[in-house]
Amino acid sequence: MSAGQTQQPIRCLVAKVGLDGHDRGAHVIARAFRDAGFEVVYSGLHRSPDEVVQAAVQEDVDVLGISILSGAHNTLVPKILDGLDEYDALDDTLVLVGGIVPDKDKDDLEEQGVSAIFGPGASMEDTIEFVRENAPER
């Protein structure tokens, strides 16, 4: 980077998908990301997979954090990944899942394109560091 260039902040979308109405964790991570210097957009509650994809593409985010506690992760997350792929955005978006995902489901989600899954009690510092180390270069 030359002296005249400034590094762009990492752009993140924190999304609540499906009927899950508990968003405390999403607010906590959005605030922690903002405090870490990331640009953060929060989707609000009850978003469809297509709404999440549209927001990620329109906001040109580097990171998509999907917060899900409803147990519908095996249905909703793949729909989001497929949508990102349709827009050629999957390869340059770091996709994270936060919430309750049983161990037996984690490998499938990661094989489909989820970069990391953070469960209850995950360290904010570890999550922020993971994003800094793995967010796509702009």
Side-chain angles (χ1 to χ4, degrees), residues 59-114:
E59 295 289 343
D60 191 27
V61 297
D62 304 303
V63 179
L64 170 57
I66 303 166
S67 172
I68 191 159
L69 298 166
S70 67
H73 49 272
N74 285 332
T75 303
L76 298 173
V77 173
K79 288 180 181 179
I80 293 169
L81 297 171
D82 289 346
L84 290 172
D85 193 40
E86 285 177 24
Y87 283 93
D88 293 323
L90 184 58
D91 289 342
D92 57 0
T93 305
L94 182 72
V95 179
L96 311 175
V97 172
I100 299 171
V101 177
D103 288 340
K104 66 181 178 60
D105 297 337
K106 290 179 180 179
D107 287 343
D108 283 344
L109 292 173
E110 289 172 348
E111 285 172 17
Q112 293 175 59
V114 173

Side-chain angles (χ1 to χ4, degrees), residues 21-61:
H22 180 85
D23 64 349
R24 181 174 172 265
H27 284 280
V28 168
I29 195 69
R31 193 172 308 113
F33 279 6
R34 185 199 64 214
D35 291 349
F38 304 162
E39 286 183 12
V40 180
V41 177
Y42 174 59
S43 71
L45 287 169
H46 309 301
R47 298 295 163 221
S48 71
D50 189 56
E51 287 173 316
V52 172
V53 169
Q54 293 298 320
V57 171
Q58 290 170 11
E59 295 289 343
D60 191 27
V61 297

Side-chain angles (χ1 to χ4, degrees), residues 112-134:
Q112 293 175 59
V114 173
S115 297
I117 299 168
F118 296 93
S123 156
M124 276 309 145
E125 293 79 18
D126 291 348
T127 307
I128 290 165
E129 190 61 30
F130 184 87
V131 169
R132 285 195 173 123
E133 289 177 4
N134 295 284

